[in-house]
Short mmCIF file of all heavy atoms in Angstrom, two decimals:
data_model
loop_
_atom_site.label_atom_id
_atom_site.label_comp_id
_atom_site.label_asym_id
_atom_site.label_seq_id
_atom_site.Cartn_x
_atom_site.Cartn_y
_atom_site.Cartn_z
N LEU A 1 42.59 -237.03 207.58
CA LEU A 1 43.96 -236.55 207.73
C LEU A 1 44.10 -235.08 207.38
O LEU A 1 44.73 -234.31 208.10
CB LEU A 1 44.92 -237.40 206.88
CG LEU A 1 45.12 -238.83 207.36
CD1 LEU A 1 45.93 -239.63 206.36
CD2 LEU A 1 45.78 -238.85 208.74
N ARG A 2 43.51 -234.66 206.28
CA ARG A 2 43.65 -233.26 205.87
C ARG A 2 42.88 -232.32 206.79
O ARG A 2 43.30 -231.18 206.99
CB ARG A 2 43.20 -233.09 204.42
CG ARG A 2 44.19 -233.80 203.51
CD ARG A 2 44.13 -233.45 202.09
NE ARG A 2 44.11 -232.05 201.80
CZ ARG A 2 43.42 -231.53 200.80
NH1 ARG A 2 42.71 -232.30 200.00
NH2 ARG A 2 43.44 -230.24 200.56
N GLY A 3 41.77 -232.78 207.33
CA GLY A 3 41.02 -231.97 208.29
C GLY A 3 41.61 -232.03 209.69
O GLY A 3 41.10 -231.40 210.60
N GLN A 4 42.66 -232.83 209.85
CA GLN A 4 43.34 -233.02 211.12
C GLN A 4 42.40 -233.50 212.23
O GLN A 4 42.53 -233.14 213.38
CB GLN A 4 44.09 -231.75 211.54
CG GLN A 4 45.15 -231.37 210.54
CD GLN A 4 45.87 -230.08 210.88
OE1 GLN A 4 45.40 -229.28 211.69
NE2 GLN A 4 47.02 -229.89 210.27
N TYR A 5 41.45 -234.37 211.83
CA TYR A 5 40.55 -234.98 212.81
C TYR A 5 41.25 -236.11 213.54
O TYR A 5 40.91 -236.42 214.68
CB TYR A 5 39.29 -235.51 212.12
CG TYR A 5 38.51 -234.41 211.44
CD1 TYR A 5 38.48 -234.32 210.06
CD2 TYR A 5 37.83 -233.45 212.18
CE1 TYR A 5 37.79 -233.30 209.43
CE2 TYR A 5 37.13 -232.43 211.56
CZ TYR A 5 37.11 -232.36 210.18
OH TYR A 5 36.43 -231.36 209.56
N VAL A 6 42.21 -236.73 212.87
CA VAL A 6 43.09 -237.73 213.48
C VAL A 6 44.50 -237.47 212.99
O VAL A 6 44.70 -236.87 211.93
CB VAL A 6 42.69 -239.19 213.12
CG1 VAL A 6 41.33 -239.53 213.68
CG2 VAL A 6 42.74 -239.43 211.64
N SER A 7 45.48 -237.92 213.74
CA SER A 7 46.86 -237.68 213.32
C SER A 7 47.60 -238.98 213.04
O SER A 7 48.58 -238.98 212.32
CB SER A 7 47.61 -236.86 214.37
OG SER A 7 47.59 -237.54 215.61
N GLY A 8 47.16 -240.06 213.61
CA GLY A 8 47.88 -241.31 213.45
C GLY A 8 47.43 -242.12 212.26
O GLY A 8 46.24 -242.13 211.91
N GLY A 9 48.38 -242.79 211.64
CA GLY A 9 48.07 -243.63 210.49
C GLY A 9 47.16 -244.80 210.83
O GLY A 9 46.27 -245.15 210.05
N ARG A 10 47.38 -245.41 211.98
CA ARG A 10 46.56 -246.56 212.36
C ARG A 10 45.12 -246.15 212.62
O ARG A 10 44.19 -246.83 212.21
CB ARG A 10 47.14 -247.25 213.58
CG ARG A 10 48.39 -248.02 213.27
CD ARG A 10 48.88 -248.76 214.48
NE ARG A 10 50.12 -249.46 214.14
CZ ARG A 10 50.97 -249.89 215.03
NH1 ARG A 10 50.74 -249.71 216.32
NH2 ARG A 10 52.06 -250.51 214.66
N MET A 11 44.94 -245.04 213.33
CA MET A 11 43.58 -244.61 213.64
C MET A 11 42.86 -244.15 212.37
O MET A 11 41.68 -244.43 212.19
CB MET A 11 43.58 -243.48 214.68
CG MET A 11 42.19 -243.07 215.11
SD MET A 11 41.12 -244.41 215.71
CE MET A 11 41.81 -244.73 217.30
N SER A 12 43.57 -243.48 211.48
CA SER A 12 42.93 -243.05 210.23
C SER A 12 42.55 -244.27 209.39
O SER A 12 41.48 -244.29 208.77
CB SER A 12 43.82 -242.09 209.44
OG SER A 12 44.96 -242.75 208.94
N ALA A 13 43.38 -245.29 209.38
CA ALA A 13 43.07 -246.51 208.62
C ALA A 13 41.86 -247.21 209.24
O ALA A 13 40.94 -247.63 208.51
CB ALA A 13 44.27 -247.44 208.59
N PHE A 14 41.84 -247.32 210.55
CA PHE A 14 40.72 -247.98 211.23
C PHE A 14 39.42 -247.24 210.96
O PHE A 14 38.41 -247.84 210.58
CB PHE A 14 40.99 -248.05 212.74
CG PHE A 14 39.81 -248.52 213.53
CD1 PHE A 14 39.42 -249.86 213.50
CD2 PHE A 14 39.06 -247.64 214.29
CE1 PHE A 14 38.31 -250.30 214.22
CE2 PHE A 14 37.95 -248.06 215.01
CZ PHE A 14 37.58 -249.40 214.98
N LEU A 15 39.42 -245.93 211.16
CA LEU A 15 38.20 -245.15 210.96
C LEU A 15 37.78 -245.13 209.49
O LEU A 15 36.58 -245.14 209.18
CB LEU A 15 38.38 -243.73 211.50
CG LEU A 15 38.49 -243.61 213.02
CD1 LEU A 15 38.78 -242.18 213.44
CD2 LEU A 15 37.23 -244.14 213.70
N SER A 16 38.74 -245.10 208.58
CA SER A 16 38.42 -245.13 207.16
C SER A 16 37.76 -246.44 206.77
O SER A 16 36.80 -246.47 206.00
CB SER A 16 39.69 -244.92 206.32
OG SER A 16 40.25 -243.66 206.60
N GLY A 17 38.27 -247.53 207.32
CA GLY A 17 37.63 -248.83 207.10
C GLY A 17 36.23 -248.88 207.68
O GLY A 17 35.31 -249.42 207.07
N CYS A 18 36.06 -248.27 208.85
CA CYS A 18 34.72 -248.22 209.47
C CYS A 18 33.75 -247.41 208.61
O CYS A 18 32.58 -247.80 208.45
CB CYS A 18 34.81 -247.60 210.87
SG CYS A 18 35.58 -248.67 212.09
N VAL A 19 34.21 -246.30 208.06
CA VAL A 19 33.35 -245.49 207.19
C VAL A 19 32.95 -246.29 205.96
O VAL A 19 31.78 -246.30 205.56
CB VAL A 19 34.05 -244.17 206.80
CG1 VAL A 19 33.33 -243.48 205.65
CG2 VAL A 19 34.16 -243.25 208.00
N ALA A 20 33.91 -247.00 205.37
CA ALA A 20 33.60 -247.81 204.18
C ALA A 20 32.56 -248.88 204.51
O ALA A 20 31.63 -249.12 203.73
CB ALA A 20 34.88 -248.44 203.63
N LEU A 21 32.71 -249.53 205.66
CA LEU A 21 31.72 -250.53 206.06
C LEU A 21 30.37 -249.91 206.36
O LEU A 21 29.33 -250.50 206.05
CB LEU A 21 32.22 -251.32 207.26
CG LEU A 21 33.25 -252.39 206.94
CD1 LEU A 21 33.76 -253.04 208.22
CD2 LEU A 21 32.66 -253.44 206.02
N ALA A 22 30.36 -248.72 206.93
CA ALA A 22 29.09 -248.03 207.20
C ALA A 22 28.39 -247.68 205.89
O ALA A 22 27.17 -247.83 205.77
CB ALA A 22 29.34 -246.78 208.03
N VAL A 23 29.15 -247.23 204.90
CA VAL A 23 28.58 -246.93 203.58
C VAL A 23 27.98 -248.20 202.98
O VAL A 23 26.86 -248.20 202.46
CB VAL A 23 29.65 -246.32 202.64
CG1 VAL A 23 29.18 -246.29 201.20
CG2 VAL A 23 30.03 -244.92 203.11
N SER A 24 28.71 -249.30 203.08
CA SER A 24 28.23 -250.57 202.54
C SER A 24 26.97 -251.05 203.26
O SER A 24 26.01 -251.49 202.62
CB SER A 24 29.32 -251.63 202.65
OG SER A 24 28.87 -252.86 202.13
N ALA A 25 26.97 -250.96 204.57
CA ALA A 25 25.79 -251.39 205.33
C ALA A 25 24.58 -250.53 205.00
O ALA A 25 23.47 -251.04 204.84
CB ALA A 25 26.09 -251.34 206.83
N PHE A 26 24.79 -249.22 204.86
CA PHE A 26 23.68 -248.34 204.51
C PHE A 26 23.15 -248.69 203.13
O PHE A 26 21.93 -248.73 202.91
CB PHE A 26 24.11 -246.86 204.56
CG PHE A 26 22.99 -245.93 204.21
CD1 PHE A 26 21.95 -245.72 205.11
CD2 PHE A 26 22.97 -245.28 203.00
CE1 PHE A 26 20.90 -244.87 204.79
CE2 PHE A 26 21.92 -244.43 202.66
CZ PHE A 26 20.88 -244.22 203.57
N TYR A 27 24.04 -248.98 202.19
CA TYR A 27 23.61 -249.38 200.85
C TYR A 27 22.77 -250.66 200.91
O TYR A 27 21.77 -250.79 200.21
CB TYR A 27 24.81 -249.56 199.92
CG TYR A 27 24.39 -249.94 198.53
CD1 TYR A 27 23.95 -248.97 197.63
CD2 TYR A 27 24.41 -251.26 198.10
CE1 TYR A 27 23.54 -249.31 196.35
CE2 TYR A 27 24.00 -251.61 196.83
CZ TYR A 27 23.57 -250.62 195.97
OH TYR A 27 23.16 -250.97 194.70
N GLU A 28 23.19 -251.61 201.73
CA GLU A 28 22.42 -252.85 201.86
C GLU A 28 21.03 -252.58 202.44
O GLU A 28 20.06 -253.23 202.06
CB GLU A 28 23.19 -253.87 202.72
CG GLU A 28 24.46 -254.39 202.09
CD GLU A 28 24.26 -255.12 200.77
OE1 GLU A 28 23.15 -255.62 200.49
OE2 GLU A 28 25.24 -255.19 200.00
N LEU A 29 20.94 -251.63 203.36
CA LEU A 29 19.63 -251.25 203.89
C LEU A 29 18.76 -250.62 202.79
O LEU A 29 17.56 -250.91 202.70
CB LEU A 29 19.78 -250.28 205.06
CG LEU A 29 20.31 -250.89 206.36
CD1 LEU A 29 20.61 -249.80 207.38
CD2 LEU A 29 19.34 -251.92 206.92
#
């Protein structure tokens, strides 16, 4: 949001959740 990579709340929430899952999956690896 601060970098203005996305403007919508839904898209930022979706992508933020995806990043969190990617971090978790990488940790499991």
Side-chain angles (χ1 to χ4, degrees):
L1 291 173
R2 292 196 48 215
Q4 298 178 343
Y5 299 108
V6 296
S7 58
R10 287 184 182 161
M11 185 54 75
S12 68
F14 171 74
L15 292 175
S16 299
C18 288
V19 167
L21 282 175
V23 167
S24 180
F26 181 73
Y27 181 80
E28 293 299 338
L29 288 172

